[in-house]
Amino acid sequence: MKRDIISVMDMKDDFEDILASAVKMKKEPKKGSKQDVLKGKVLGMVFEKPSLRTRISFEVGMTQLGGKAVYIGPDEVSIGKRESVSDVANVLSRYVNAIMYRAFSNQTMRELAKHASVPVINGLDDLEHPCQCAADLLTVMEKKGKLKGLQLVYVGDGNNVCNSLLLGCALTGMNMRAATPKDFKPNADILAKAQEIAKGKGGRIETLSNPYQAVEGADVIYTDTWVSMGQEAEKQAREKLFLPYQVNDKLAEKANKDYIFLHCLPAHRGLEVSAEVIDGPHSVVFDEAENRMHAQKAILVAVLGK
Ligand code: CP
Ligand code: NVA
């Protein structure tokens, strides 16, 4: 049976194995790798939205594993407009061994996965960003030497990135607080699921609205854009409303002295994060960006390897 990675929950049984495999792959030579685990395999990458990290890290990752990636941009397919989602899924399944899909909606993501006979990997939709979460926790593991028991504090919009982090933290026994304005909380079903998992793992998952209270004792501070792709019409209103949630030195003072700062990027200095924090000594955002590739190579092998 094919294995889709639509949610972090699709890695619930082997999330830590995937992270361990990513650590191993990172140690192996980046260029001229002798690995050919995915030799002859092709990944189709369907994008409805722009991307730097997701596109390049998947493409280079596939190349390093001995396979290939084909980029399919928004103008080429016009998924659901020029052609139905199910026809795109059926046709692509005849050409490629797996599909990486960046979608506007989780519903389209699930529809594509339902009709595709090859595995579908979520490269971001409006509900989750599971590959980002794997890279994030890989980065925390590298910097802190462990995951279990650490306190991650997410500040800002309870969006796709936040939703996936709730599940990732729960699965790995981390504690997570999400500080968001009351109307921008993470998805309620995902929050409930994460809290249920955390109970069994000895972790604590909470949401609150005061960022200063939230950041107290943080090992990791995480933020993301206040205006996700597709929300451009709300830009002005959001930027005003979220201002108290900016991650800056004053807020970060409440964190543990050795806290690390994560951001999935692209970042907006002066909005969700100040330049002093993202360009400062606690920031590990470029290691995090690099880790997208290592984490995704591990995911690709889990999905496509023999
Ligand atoms: N973090 C992330 O997914 O970046 P891109 O939008 O550039 O792929
Ligand atoms: N929440 C952001 C993440 C970008 C990588 C978005 O969906 O646009």
Side-chain angles (χ1 to χ4, degrees):
M1 213 178 89
K2 69 164 179 146
R3 180 176 182 189
D4 297 321
I5 308 284
I6 306 292
S7 164
V8 171
M9 288 308 286
D10 296 319
M11 298 183 272
K12 69 176 178 0
D13 298 326
D14 60 352
F15 194 50
E16 300 202 50
D17 293 340
I18 287 177
L19 297 183
S21 147
V23 170
K24 222 174 117 213
M25 289 191 190
K26 187 169 179 175
K27 284 197 194 120
E28 283 158 10
K30 290 184 189 173
K31 285 192 188 128
S33 167
K34 292 211 174 59
Q35 282 187 9
D36 59 358
V37 199
L38 300 188
K39 192 162 182 223
K41 302 262 165 92
V42 179
L43 177 73
M45 306 192 296
V46 181
F47 283 88
E48 287 181 19
K49 303 174 183 176
S51 168
L52 170 63
R53 281 144 290 271
T54 305
R55 175 179 176 176
I56 308 302
S57 58
F58 265 107
E59 187 160 342
V60 176
M62 273 306 281
T63 307
Q64 289 186 2
L65 291 168
K68 273 194 189 329
V70 180
Y71 172 76
I72 306 152
D75 299 334
E76 289 150 64
V77 175
S78 248
I79 201 162
K81 291 186 203 105
R82 180 173 185 265
E83 200 157 359
S84 72
V85 178
S86 58
D87 282 0
V88 172
N90 275 301
V91 171
L92 273 179
S93 299
R94 301 291 178 104
Y95 299 136
V96 301
N97 302 95
I99 300 169
M100 192 284 296
Y101 182 28
R102 168 163 286 195
F104 276 104
S105 105
N106 182 256
Q107 208 183 323
T108 326
M109 178 69 66
R110 295 207 173 266
E111 202 184 334
L112 186 96
K114 189 175 123 195
H115 293 280
S117 60
V118 299
V120 173
I121 300 171
N122 183 349
L124 179 146
D125 62 25
D126 58 345
L127 193 63
E128 280 206 50
H129 199 355
C131 298
Q132 181 67 53
C133 175
D136 298 338
L137 298 194
L138 172 62
T139 311
V140 175
M141 209 162 81
E142 260 180 354
K143 303 292 170 189
K144 295 286 176 191
K146 63 171 186 178
L147 293 176
K148 196 170 167 54
L150 292 178
Q151 179 69 57
L152 184 145
V153 178
Y154 179 95
V155 181
D157 187 16
N159 60 15
N160 43 10
V161 168
C162 179
N163 289 335
S164 284
L165 281 170
L166 286 169
L167 294 169
C169 287
L171 287 173
T172 54
M174 289 178 72
N175 305 306
M176 176 167 165
R177 288 187 210 120
T180 71
K182 69 173 177 15
D183 292 333
F184 296 87
K185 284 195 189 311
N187 176 273
D189 293 338
I190 290 184
L191 177 64
K193 184 83 205 160
Q195 284 173 329
E196 182 198 315
I197 299 167
K199 228 186 265 171
K201 299 265 184 185
R204 212 170 53 240
I205 306 278
E206 307 158 88
T207 58
L208 59 174
S209 56
N210 185 327
Y212 284 87
Q213 219 176 321
V215 164
E216 205 116 355
D219 298 299
V220 183
I221 304 181
Y222 199 119
T223 192
D224 181 19
T225 183
W226 296 333
V227 188
S228 283
M229 290 177 275
Q231 299 173 335
E232 290 76 10
E234 300 166 40
K235 187 173 171 358
Q236 247 188 331
R238 281 176 166 265
E239 286 182 0
K240 199 166 150 214
L241 194 135
F242 278 98
L243 210 53
Y245 291 83
Q246 182 185 81
V247 176
N248 50 36
D249 274 348
K250 191 166 156 242
L251 181 68
E253 236 173 56
K254 302 270 172 209
N256 289 342
K257 292 285 159 269
D258 60 350
Y259 85 92
I260 56 170
F261 173 75
L262 296 182
H263 189 312
C264 60
L265 306 177
H268 309 84
R269 287 166 178 77
L271 291 171
E272 75 270 8
V273 62
S274 67
E276 74 226 13
V277 168
I278 195 167
D279 300 319
H282 295 274
S283 176
V284 293
V285 298
F286 299 120
D287 293 313
E288 179 187 7
E290 178 187 335
N291 281 339
R292 286 293 301 277
M293 188 172 75
H294 307 300
Q296 286 158 195
K297 282 170 73 178
I299 291 173
L300 285 164
V301 171
V303 164
L304 278 177
K306 278 165 247 135

